[in-house]
C-alpha cells in the first residue's frame, strides 16, 4: 500500500482475527501497528482500490469465516469491516471486475478439479478479453482455469 508517508505493510494475524497496518515513514521505517478486526482466522490479505476512490482497501480471506473488506480512507486509516459470505475455508484472494459493474454480488462457486485449492490468479487466458481465474490445487497437482 502506498500512503503519503511511503509504502505501508498490511499483515493478516491468524490467531487474533485482525489485520495489522504499519504505515510507512519517509525515512523508510514503519510506524506502530494499528489493528483492525476482521473475520475468524485471516489467512491472506490483499490491498487494492476496490471502489475507485484512489485509496487502497483491504480484503482478507478468513479461514473459518467469510471474506472481510475494509474500505480505505484518505487519511490512511480504514473504515468498519464488511464481511461477505463465500465458500468454505477461503485461503486466497484475487481481484478483478468480472461482471463489469464494480460492485459485489452473491458468491458464485466453481469446481476446482479436486484437491485443496491453495492459490488463485486472475488474467486474460483466452481470446474473449474478460478476466479469467486460474486455481492451483494441492494434493492433486492440477491447475484449473475458469
Amino acid at each position: 500500500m502506498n500512503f503519503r508517508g511511503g509504502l505501508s505493510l498490511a499483515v493478516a494475524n491468524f490467531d487474533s482475527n485482525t489485520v495489522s497496518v504499519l504505515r510507512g515513514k519517509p525515512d523508510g521505517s514503519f510506524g506502530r501497528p494499528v489493528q483492525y478486526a476482521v473475520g475468524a482466522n485471516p489467512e491472506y490479505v490483499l490491498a487494492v482500490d476496490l471502489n475507485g476512490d484512489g485509496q487502497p482497501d483491504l480484503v482478507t480471506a478468513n479461514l473459518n469465516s467469510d471474506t472481510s473488506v475494509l474500505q480505505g480512507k484518505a487519511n490512511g486509516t480504514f473504515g468498519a469491516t464488511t464481511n461477505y459470505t463465500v465458500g468454505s475455508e477461503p485461503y486466497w484472494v484475487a481481484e478483478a471486475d468480472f461482471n463489469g459493474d464494480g460492485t459485489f454480488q452473491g458468491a458464485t462457486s466453481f469446481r476446482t478439479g479436486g484437491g485443496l485449492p491453495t492459490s488463485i490468479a486472475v488474467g486474460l487466458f483466452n481470446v474473449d478479453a474478460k478476466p479469467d481465474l486460474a486455481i492451483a490445487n494441492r494434493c492433486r497437482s492440477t491447475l484449473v482455469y475458469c
Side-chain angles (χ1 to χ4, degrees), residues 82-105:
T82 302
N83 292 313
Y84 293 92
T85 301
V86 297
S88 63
E89 299 184 17
Y91 188 77
W92 205 266
V93 177
E95 68 78 31
D97 189 354
F98 293 104
N99 62 3
D101 70 358
T103 63
F104 293 119
Q105 297 175 3

Side-chain angles (χ1 to χ4, degrees), residues 35-122:
Q35 293 188 346
Y36 296 90
V38 294
N41 305 116
E43 288 267 327
Y44 182 81
V45 62
L46 172 70
V48 61
D49 183 5
L50 293 173
N51 57 4
D53 66 357
Q55 305 304 319
D57 306 306
L58 298 178
V59 183
T60 63
N62 306 316
L63 181 63
N64 293 317
S65 66
D66 302 328
T67 295
S68 299
V69 175
L70 295 97
Q71 297 291 322
K73 298 181 179 181
N75 65 0
T77 64
F78 294 89
T81 301
T82 302
N83 292 313
Y84 293 92
T85 301
V86 297
S88 63
E89 299 184 17
Y91 188 77
W92 205 266
V93 177
E95 68 78 31
D97 189 354
F98 293 104
N99 62 3
D101 70 358
T103 63
F104 293 119
Q105 297 175 3
T108 301
S109 296
F110 297 93
R111 295 193 53 75
T112 62
L116 177 65
T118 57
S119 183
I120 188 169
V122 176

